[in-house]
């Protein structure tokens, strides 16, 4: 199996599904990225894969309601799923409920899912929707890595405080979850995130 950065460098879009049922069959190992709209999930994915627009950053948060699936490398063993951003107030209740159900199915039923990266804004981590996602992952027995993104927005003292607070809250809400701070803008924390993904997809 190639190294994680080789796999990520060779990411390619496979398909976009509007429901769990229409996703392709589960093969190999998959890592999913979840997060509140505007937390920076698309930017993180673009930095990880070293592309300008693998995942579409959007000025209309919450607009994309698809599970986007990417193949990593050429041997159909590693996959990445970009889950729809949650928590955008303008999405109507019916659609929010439907996506809640689709995400529940995805997290609990997708057998090849090895772990979920939950992207959060370091300044406002663990929103109610993030907490629901953590609980869902726990219910589904799926490992979680909380990515505290936009760390460049805080000075080092405040950043350290935010990380400590998130650590404490995560220990309570999602025992066993790992976390790291990240800046998609500065590309800080890339190695830690790659190591987590390598652990799930390769090791
Ligand atoms: P998504 O809705 O979670 O996919 O969020 P996007 O990737 O579209 O990002 C939302 C906004 O946050 C955009 O304006 C990004 O440029 C910005 N952003 C994303 N990551 C970072 C980061 O690490 N630092 C800063 N300062 N801005 C970021």
């Amino acid at each position: 199996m190639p190294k994680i950065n080789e796999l990520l460098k060779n990411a390619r879009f496979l398909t976009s599904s509007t429901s769990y049922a229409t996703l392709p069959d589960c093969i190999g190992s998959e890592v999913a990225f979840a997060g509140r709209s505007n937390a920076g999930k698309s930017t993180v994915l673009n930095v990880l894969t070293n592309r300008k627009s693998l995942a579409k950053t959007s000025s209309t948060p919450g607009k994309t309601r698809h599970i986007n699936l990417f193949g990593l490398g050429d041997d159909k063993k590693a996959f990445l799923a970009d889950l729809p951003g949650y928590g955008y107030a303008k999405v109507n209740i019916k659609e929010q409920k439907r996506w809640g159900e689709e995400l529940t199915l995805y997290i609990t039923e997708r057998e090849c899912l090895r772990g979920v990266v939950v992207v959060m804004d370091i300044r406002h981590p663990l929103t109610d929707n993030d907490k629901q996602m953590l609980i869902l992952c726990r219910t589904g027995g799926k490992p979680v890595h909380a990515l505290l993104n936009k760390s460049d927005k805080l000075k080092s003292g405040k950043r350290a405080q935010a990380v400590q607070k998130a650590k404490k809250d995560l220990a309570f809400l999602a025992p066993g979850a790992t976390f790291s701070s990240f800046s998609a803008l500065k590309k800080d924390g890339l190695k830690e995130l790659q190591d987590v993904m390598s652990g799930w997809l390769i090791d």
Side-chain angles (χ1 to χ4, degrees), residues 35-46 55-62 82 85 119 123 149-153 182-187:
R36 190 180 198 286
S37 289
N38 215 36
K41 175 165 59 67
S42 311
T43 314
V44 169
L45 287 174
N46 290 338
K56 300 271 177 285
T57 51
S58 167
S59 53
T60 317
D82 180 11
V119 180
R123 297 165 301 171
N149 188 36
K150 306 197 186 184
S151 64
D152 58 280
K153 295 263 191 190
F182 194 85
S183 165
L185 188 77
K186 304 256 177 186
K187 302 190 181 176

Side-chain angles (χ1 to χ4, degrees), residues 5-189:
N5 45 351
E6 289 295 316
L7 291 180
L8 288 165
K9 211 168 64 188
N10 290 308
R12 70 202 182 287
F13 174 75
L14 292 179
T15 185
S16 192
S17 292
T18 52
S19 68
Y20 171 71
T22 53
L23 272 176
D25 284 350
C26 218
I27 49 169
S29 300
E30 201 163 294
V31 166
F33 277 71
R36 190 180 198 286
S37 289
N38 215 36
K41 175 165 59 67
S42 311
T43 314
V44 169
L45 287 174
N46 290 338
V47 165
L48 255 184
T49 54
N50 204 15
R51 300 291 169 79
K52 279 211 172 74
S53 58
L54 183 92
K56 300 271 177 285
T57 51
S58 167
S59 53
T60 317
K63 203 178 160 199
T64 2
R65 313 299 291 175
H66 294 98
I67 297 174
N68 293 319
L69 203 62
F70 300 88
L72 302 178
D74 293 323
D75 51 5
K76 297 200 170 109
K77 285 191 178 149
F79 298 85
L80 189 157
D82 180 11
L83 304 179
Y86 46 71
Y88 182 56
K90 284 192 185 159
V91 175
N92 70 47
I93 303 275
K94 202 173 145 205
E95 182 68 357
Q96 277 181 37
K97 187 166 174 282
R98 189 180 85 78
W99 267 108
E101 288 163 5
E102 295 296 341
L103 288 176
T104 301
L105 279 173
Y106 175 80
I107 301 286
T108 55
E109 302 284 320
R110 189 93 173 146
E111 277 177 9
C112 58
L113 180 60
R114 300 283 176 261
V116 182
V117 176
V118 182
V119 180
M120 305 178 196
D121 185 324
I122 192 167
R123 297 165 301 171
H124 327 281
L126 297 160
T127 62
D128 286 349
N129 287 302
D130 292 327
K131 289 177 187 167
Q132 281 176 25
M133 178 50 78
L134 295 175
I135 291 167
L136 185 55
C137 291
R138 200 171 169 187
T139 309
K142 298 297 189 308
V144 167
H145 185 78
L147 194 72
L148 307 171
N149 188 36
K150 306 197 186 184
S151 64
D152 58 280
K153 295 263 191 190
L154 296 178
K155 294 205 172 117
S156 63
K158 291 269 180 216
R159 192 184 312 153
Q161 272 176 23
V163 167
Q164 279 314 310
K165 168 93 171 62
K167 182 179 175 183
K168 213 168 121 203
D169 292 348
L170 275 168
F172 179 69
L173 285 163
T178 53
F179 66 94
S180 59
S181 71
F182 194 85
S183 165
L185 188 77
K186 304 256 177 186
K187 302 190 181 176
D188 277 348

